[in-house]
Amino acid sequence: MTICAGEDYKAADALLNQTYREIEKDSDADTLHLLKTAQRAWLAFRDAECAYATADIAGGSMQPMLLSMCLAKLTEKRTRQLRADNACQEGQGVCN
C-alpha cells in the first residue's frame, strides 16, 4: 500500500509539473515571476502541512503511506487550481 501511495504521489506530481510548464509557456515575465513565487510558497506549505498531518504517527509503519497520500491529495488540488486559474478569461477577475 505504501508503494501504491508513493506511485500515486509521483503521478500527481508529474501532472502538476506538466500543468506548471504549460502555464509557464503562456506567461509574461511579470506573471511568471508571481507564479514562481506562489508555487515555491505552495510547495513549502504542502510539505509542512503533510508533515504536520502525519506527525502523530512519525516513525510508524503507516507514516510513509499516509504522507504520500497527503502529498498526492494536495498536489492534485493544486493542479486543479492552476488549471482553473489558467482557464480564466481576461477580464473575469478571480475565477476559482
Side-chain angles (χ1 to χ4, degrees):
M1 290 190 314
T2 299
I3 292 170
C4 289
E7 292 299 320
D8 288 346
Y9 167 59
K10 286 179 188 176
D13 192 52
L15 186 57
L16 175 63
N17 288 325
Q18 176 187 350
T19 300
Y20 182 89
R21 284 190 303 274
E22 290 169 4
I23 295 170
E24 191 176 41
K25 288 179 199 175
D26 296 333
S27 299
D28 61 39
D30 291 336
T31 303
L32 184 57
H33 174 73
L34 293 170
L35 174 64
K36 285 181 180 182
T37 300
Q39 192 64 9
R40 285 183 189 125
W42 179 83
L43 288 167
F45 164 78
R46 179 201 62 190
D47 294 348
E49 178 67 15
C50 289
Y52 169 72
T54 60
D56 289 346
I57 57 169
S61 61
M62 289 183 59
Q63 194 265 344
M65 178 186 70
L66 294 177
L67 179 63
S68 290
M69 291 171 69
C70 179
L71 292 168
K73 178 180 151 188
L74 292 180
T75 300
E76 290 164 357
K77 185 175 179 180
R78 177 65 173 165
T79 300
R80 288 190 302 273
Q81 179 186 23
L82 287 174
R83 286 182 170 179
D85 289 349
N86 196 45
C88 186
Q89 299 295 316
E90 189 172 330
Q92 282 183 307
V94 178
C95 293
N96 36 339

